[in-house]
C-alpha cells in the first residue's frame, strides 16, 4: 500500500538494527531450561515475583493473566498493559477483583512509558504484536513499528529497569517467512538473540518461543468459518 516491498523492508530492518540476514536451515532460537511441561517447575519460577504481561487484552495475553492469577503460590503482583483502552477497562473489571492484578494503558511503541511500568518488575511476558497477515502486508511500516521497534523498546526498557527475565511470544510464521508479519517476527527473534548474546554477568535473560495458530483466538480463521457456516456457506479457503 505504501510502495515498500517485503525484501526492501527486510533489508532496511536489518541495516537499522545491524542484524545479519540469511539463516542456515534449522537455525532456530536456542531452547531454555524454562521450556518444560512440569507445572510445578513453572509455578516456582513465578512464585513471589512481580510479572508484567504486554498485550494483555489479546488472546495470549488474556490467558497468561488468567493463569498467573490462578497459580497457587504464584506471583506477588501481575501487571497487564495494552493500548486498547476499552478492552483494558473490561479486563480490569473481570480480572481486577484479584488484588494482585493491575492494568495500565501503555503502548510498546513508547519506550518512556515502558520504562515507567517496568520499574520493579521481575519477569516480562511480551505478547503485544500485530499478527494479522493481510493488515501487515497492507501496512508494513505499522507492523515494523510494533513488532520490531516495539520489541526493541521492550528489550531496552527491561535492561534499563534490571528486569530479571523477558520471554517473547513469536510465531511459526518466522520460519522461512514469506510475509511481512513473518519477517517482523523473525527480526524480533534475532533482536532477542543478539541482546541475550550481549548480556554481561547477571543481566536480563531474554528468550523467545514460537506459537502456532491458536484455535478460537481473536480474529481467528475459525471465527470466519463459523460465520460463513451460519450464513449457509460457502466456506472460503485462500490455499486449498
Amino acid at each position: 500500500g505504501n510502495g515498500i516491498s517485503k525484501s526492501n523492508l527486510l533489508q532496511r530492518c536489518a541495516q537499522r538494527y545491524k542484524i545479519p540476514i540469511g539463516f542456515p536451515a534449522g537455525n532456530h532460537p536456542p531452547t531454555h531450561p524454562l521450556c518444560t511441561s512440569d507445572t510445578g517447575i513453572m509455578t516456582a519460577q513465578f512464585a513471589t515475583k512481580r510479572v508484567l504481561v504486554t498485550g494483555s487484552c489479546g488472546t495470549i495475553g488474556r490467558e497468561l493473566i488468567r493463569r498467573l492469577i490462578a497459580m497457587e503460590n504464584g506471583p506477588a503482583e501481575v501487571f497487564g498493559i495494552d493500548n486498547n483502552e476499552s478492552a483494558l477497562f473490561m479486563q480490569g473489571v473481570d480480572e481486577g477483583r484479584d488484588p494482585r492484578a493491575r492494568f495500565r494503558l501503555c503502548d510498546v511503541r513508547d519506550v518512556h512509558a515502558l520504562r515507567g511500568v517496568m520499574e520493579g518488575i521481575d519477569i516480562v511476558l511480551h505478547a503485544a504484536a500485530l499478527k494479522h497477515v493481510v493488515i501487515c502486508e497492507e501496512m508494513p511500516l505499522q507492523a515494523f513499528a510494533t513488532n520490531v521497534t516495539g520489541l526493541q523498546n521492550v528489550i531496552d526498557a527491561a535492561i534499563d529497569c534490571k528486569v530479571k527475565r523477558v520471554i517473547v511470544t513469536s510465531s511459526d510464521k518466522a520460519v522461512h517467512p514469506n510475509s511481512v508479519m513473518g519477517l517482523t517476527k523473525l527480526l524480533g527473534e534475532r533482536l532477542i538473540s543478539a541482546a541475550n548474546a550481549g548480556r554481561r554477568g547477571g543481566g536480563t535473560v531474554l528468550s523467545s518461543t514460537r506459537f502456532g495458530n491458536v484455535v478460537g483466538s481473536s480474529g481467528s480463521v475459525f471465527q470466519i468459518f463459523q460465520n460463513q457456516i451460519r450464513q449457509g456457506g460457502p466456506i472460503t479457503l485462500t490455499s486449498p
Side-chain angles (χ1 to χ4, degrees):
N2 50 18
I4 298 176
S5 70
K6 285 181 281 189
S7 60
N8 286 340
L9 177 66
L10 179 58
Q11 292 292 340
R12 287 173 58 176
C13 292
Q15 291 170 4
R16 177 170 178 175
Y17 287 94
K18 299 181 176 60
I19 301 171
I21 58 175
F23 308 97
N27 184 17
H28 302 293
T31 57
H32 193 275
L34 276 183
C35 297
T36 175
S37 59
D38 189 321
T39 55
I41 293 176
M42 291 301 297
T43 299
Q45 298 294 330
F46 293 104
T48 72
K49 300 295 193 299
R50 303 178 82 232
V51 182
L52 174 72
V53 178
T54 73
S56 66
C57 295
T59 302
I60 302 301
R62 283 200 312 271
E63 188 63 22
L64 287 172
I65 293 285
R66 291 186 187 124
R67 288 180 180 249
L68 287 167
I69 292 174
M71 279 183 179
E72 185 177 354
N73 301 318
E77 290 182 286
V78 178
F79 292 82
I81 64 171
D82 204 286
N83 64 355
N84 188 328
E85 178 193 13
S86 297
L88 194 67
F89 173 79
M90 292 309 302
Q91 187 172 43
V93 172
D94 295 338
E95 308 294 347
R97 289 169 291 185
D98 190 303
R100 296 172 299 164
R102 301 182 184 182
F103 301 94
R104 298 288 184 270
L105 190 66
C106 181
D107 196 315
V108 295
R109 299 184 184 189
D110 186 343
V111 69
H112 302 293
L114 282 173
R115 288 192 182 102
V117 297
M118 282 195 197
E119 286 291 343
I121 293 295
D122 298 302
I123 299 173
V124 172
L125 303 178
H126 178 54
L130 296 184
K131 68 173 188 176
H132 288 287
V133 172
V134 173
I135 291 178
C136 291
E137 290 292 319
E138 294 175 346
M139 292 174 284
L141 293 183
Q142 295 300 315
F144 175 85
T146 294
N147 296 354
V148 181
T149 303
L151 174 54
Q152 185 62 53
N153 289 342
V154 169
I155 293 171
D156 291 341
I159 292 173
D160 290 346
C161 294
K162 297 179 172 55
V163 172
K164 293 181 177 64
R165 187 180 304 277
V166 176
I167 303 174
V168 175
T169 59
S170 185
S171 168
D172 58 350
K173 293 179 178 62
V175 181
H176 306 302
N178 59 6
S179 68
V180 169
M181 186 272 203
L183 290 175
T184 60
K185 284 296 189 176
L186 178 58
L187 284 165
E189 291 182 0
R190 300 301 290 180
L191 289 176
I192 287 291
S193 297
N196 200 53
R199 63 186 288 266
R200 296 291 182 270
T204 304
V205 177
L206 303 107
S207 57
S208 62
T209 180
R210 286 175 177 165
F211 278 61
N213 292 325
V214 180
V215 176
S217 61
S218 177
S220 164
V221 68
F222 287 96
Q223 294 178 340
I224 297 174
F225 290 164
Q226 287 172 339
N227 290 335
Q228 291 173 339
I229 291 170
R230 291 190 190 101
Q231 295 167 10
I235 298 175
T236 57
L237 297 174
T238 56
S239 181

